[in-house]
Amino acid sequence: MEQKADFVPLDESFFQQPTLQLAESLLGCLLVKETKEGTAAGFIVETEAYRGPLDRAAHSFNNRRTKRTEIMFHEAGRIYTYVMHTHCLVNVVTGEEGVPEAVLIRAVEPYEGIDLMFERRGGTSMKNLTSGPGKLTKAMGITMEDYGNRFDQRPLYITKGFTPEDISTGPRIGIDNSGEAKHYPWRFWVTGNQYVSR
DNA sequence: CAGCAGATAGACT
DNA sequence: GTCTATCTGCTGC
């Protein structure tokens, strides 16, 4: 009876929305990671959409299909983790089988397992704990182990959170060498939330 | 606030 | 073998 029944993963049909719409729908949802050290959870407050063939900023631009991007060609709801420099980033795969699109989770608001997150992140402030894509994966213990799993089942999954009052959009971050694509307003965040990366 | 080091996986010559 | 990358934290003006 140790098991918490509070967190019920979202149904897979949730992920079967157009990528831009899903990026917006994900705001306010609760991202949960269960490990043997404990459970860490946080509300998603910032996302970015990456749209395969059309999007120069996406790893899957021009349908580039490699070992790394392979998972983006799968059905919606898969987990795409990617190691960048010293950090791991986490994406939600969207689109139907064969359509390489994804949503990057850029920031969450800490909700449960906050002590555990501080332990993993070392000395830092509450505001700095999960306010960035590399920070949140470290705080929650998300790694390449999660690559290819599904967001509708443990140990890494998404469940219902709150409904954001107001949502902002703007250009994405960290894709300066992507030509035109860098101006696309495919970044979404909860307006005014202090855990948004910038 | 600009500049840069850090450290790993995968693409490309 | 070399180069780039969906970033972060620290240093020095």
Side-chain angles (χ1 to χ4, degrees):
Chain A
M1 290 311 217
E2 295 291 319
Q3 184 71 36
K4 283 202 164 192
D6 301 348
F7 299 150
V8 179
L10 285 173
D11 191 83
E12 67 176 317
S13 63
F14 172 79
F15 299 101
Q16 294 161 2
Q17 313 182 45
T19 301
L20 293 177
Q21 190 182 309
L22 182 66
E24 208 172 314
S25 302
L26 281 169
L27 293 176
C29 289
L30 190 62
L31 179 68
V32 187
K33 169 77 192 225
E34 296 176 0
T35 64
K36 55 178 186 290
E37 291 99 29
T39 299
F43 296 109
I44 298 170
V45 296
E46 183 178 359
T47 61
E48 282 180 6
Y50 285 86
R51 308 187 60 196
L54 333 159
D55 182 4
R56 239 192 95 163
H59 292 155
S60 53
F61 172 63
N62 208 15
N63 280 320
R64 178 203 292 275
R65 184 168 190 156
T66 63
K67 212 183 270 182
R68 180 170 64 177
T69 62
E70 174 65 27
I71 201 66
M72 291 178 80
F73 289 82
H74 283 63
E75 81 283 7
R78 293 276 185 173
I79 299 169
Y80 175 31
T81 48
Y82 167 71
V83 178
M84 166 63 176
H85 295 256
T86 55
H87 306 281
C88 189
L89 282 72
V90 62
N91 294 250
V92 182
V93 174
T94 65
E96 295 174 24
E97 180 102 29
V99 181
E101 302 191 340
V103 175
L104 168 67
I105 298 174
R106 283 196 59 86
V108 303
E109 175 177 335
Y111 174 66
E112 185 169 301
I114 293 177
D115 289 345
L116 182 57
M117 295 195 213
F118 270 111
E119 205 174 300
R120 286 175 174 146
R121 291 270 295 132
T124 190
S125 65
M126 182 67 191
K127 194 167 167 261
N128 202 30
L129 197 56
T130 56
S131 56
K135 301 177 192 174
L136 77 89
T137 54
K138 187 172 181 192
M140 298 186 65
I142 296 169
T143 68
M144 287 305 285
E145 297 282 298
D146 298 301
Y147 180 92
N149 290 336
R150 298 188 50 84
F151 272 116
D152 55 12
Q153 59 193 44
R154 302 185 323 148
L156 177 61
Y157 57 93
I158 290 172
T159 184
K160 201 167 160 47
F162 67 96
T163 303
E165 285 182 21
D166 202 10
I167 291 171
S168 302
T169 63
R172 292 169 294 174
I173 289 174
I175 54 169
D176 288 343
N177 56 346
S178 305
E180 285 252 323
K182 79 182 210 185
H183 303 300
Y184 300 166
W186 290 350
R187 174 173 172 241
F188 303 85
W189 68 93
V190 176
T191 307
N193 188 287
Q194 64 175 321
Y195 296 100
V196 169
S197 64
R198 62 182 72 170

